[in-house]
Amino acid sequence: MRRVTTDDWRDLRTLRLEALADTPIGFLETLAAAEGEPDGAWQARAARGAVGGDAFQVMAWDGDRPVANCVSFLRDGAGWLAAVYVAPAYRGKGLLGELVEHCTGWARERAASVLRLEVHEDNARAQAAYRRMGFTETGARQPYDLDPSRDELLMERPL
Ligand SMILES: CC(C)(COP(=O)(O)OP(=O)(O)OC[C@H]1O[C@@H](n2cnc3c(N)ncnc32)[C@H](O)[C@@H]1OP(=O)(O)O)[C@@H](O)C(=O)NCCC(=O)NCCS
């Protein structure tokens, strides 16, 4: 498990397409849109999460196979989590906790006071996982971009 480099863009794409196919409500992008992205766009995503980028992306591999991912960025003085994914065969093993600890360190170094995330109201597994890691619902909700008839919940944990 480590921070991505610009050379990881192919693995980043592979895992992103897998995540979007696995749990569409977990993300604000459709599989079809992502499949249409050119190589340059994936290279730009990797650069954004790598050293020198304005975000922090951490991935885990099992050998050559990318199996988990998390992105952190700063907004309004808070650290945010996004693009959270653990491949099905690797769930329930504490990988999510390790990903979030990497992001927590990065956000703390940048003086963020809280770590926030948005999770779809129907994503019970993700909510349960976040609660177990100490995230709590703030009560704030917003329409889910890809289907405004459903909401995303705001959860946070102090840093
Ligand atoms: C969200 C995700 C990263 C969590 O990682 P994980 O390894 O599955 O997490 P864990 O197994 O540690 O925790 C899952 C929790 O959900 C519970 N759970 C499992 N299946 C569940 C279900 N169908 N409904 C409700 N809770 C469920 C588990 O019991 C566990 O809770 P517990 O440890 O308190 O018993 C992973 O499931 C994933 O990648 N999902 C698809 C993408 C996604 O939803 N990303 C998040 C977007 S915000």
Side-chain angles (χ1 to χ4, degrees), residues 13 17 20 29-39 41-42 45:
R13 175 179 56 191
L17 297 181
L20 295 173
E29 179 182 29
T30 64
L31 178 58
E35 283 171 335
E37 291 270 79
D39 292 357
W42 295 103
R45 291 190 197 201

Side-chain angles (χ1 to χ4, degrees), residues 22-23 26 84-86 91-92 96 118 123-126 128-130 132:
D22 177 84
T23 308
V84 177
Y85 179 71
V86 176
R91 291 175 188 167
L96 177 63
E118 288 148 352
N123 196 341
R125 182 168 188 138
Y130 295 139
R132 191 161 45 68

Side-chain angles (χ1 to χ4, degrees), residues 19-20 22-27 67-69 81-88 90-97 99 117-120 122-133 152:
L20 295 173
D22 177 84
T23 308
I25 63 167
F27 310 99
V67 298
N69 183 80
L81 297 182
V84 177
Y85 179 71
V86 176
Y90 297 81
R91 291 175 188 167
K93 303 177 191 305
L95 262 183
L96 177 63
L99 291 168
L117 59 91
E118 288 148 352
V119 57
H120 195 284
D122 302 327
N123 196 341
R125 182 168 188 138
Q127 290 171 38
Y130 295 139
R131 273 193 215 98
R132 191 161 45 68
M133 286 193 296
E152 291 201 297

